[in-house]
Amino acid sequence: MEKVSVIIPCYNVEDYIEECLFSCFNQTYKNIEVICVNNQSNDLTYDILQRMKKNFIKLIICEENKIGASA
């Protein structure tokens, strides 16, 4: 069974990230990992990701320190 990696760029998405993660992990295909790349969010995005990590062991959280996609 092939592993699928879902990569989610995150910037100030506190209102949506929980629903997004639940949607990813509730798929019928279970051999997945979800990689959230937090790009200097200044809301509660990072805190929510940390809390969700406790529920979803296949969640990987990365911190990006570059400003914007072009960097």
Side-chain angles (χ1 to χ4, degrees), residues 8-60:
I8 304 170
C10 301
Y11 178 74
N12 292 344
V13 291
E14 68 180 353
D15 294 335
Y16 313 104
I17 192 62
E18 240 180 291
E19 182 180 352
C20 178
L21 290 174
F22 278 119
S23 177
C24 289
F25 285 113
N26 286 327
Q27 299 297 312
T28 56
Y29 191 82
K30 297 299 181 188
N31 194 20
I32 68 167
E33 65 181 357
V34 177
I35 303 168
C36 289
V37 182
N38 185 40
N39 190 352
Q40 300 181 347
S41 294
N42 54 19
D43 64 357
L44 296 175
T45 298
Y46 185 75
D47 296 330
I48 294 169
L49 290 173
Q50 290 295 325
R51 182 171 40 100
M52 299 296 287
K53 174 87 172 136
K54 295 175 185 175
N55 296 325
F56 300 112
I57 59 172
K58 294 183 179 182
L59 173 61
I60 299 167

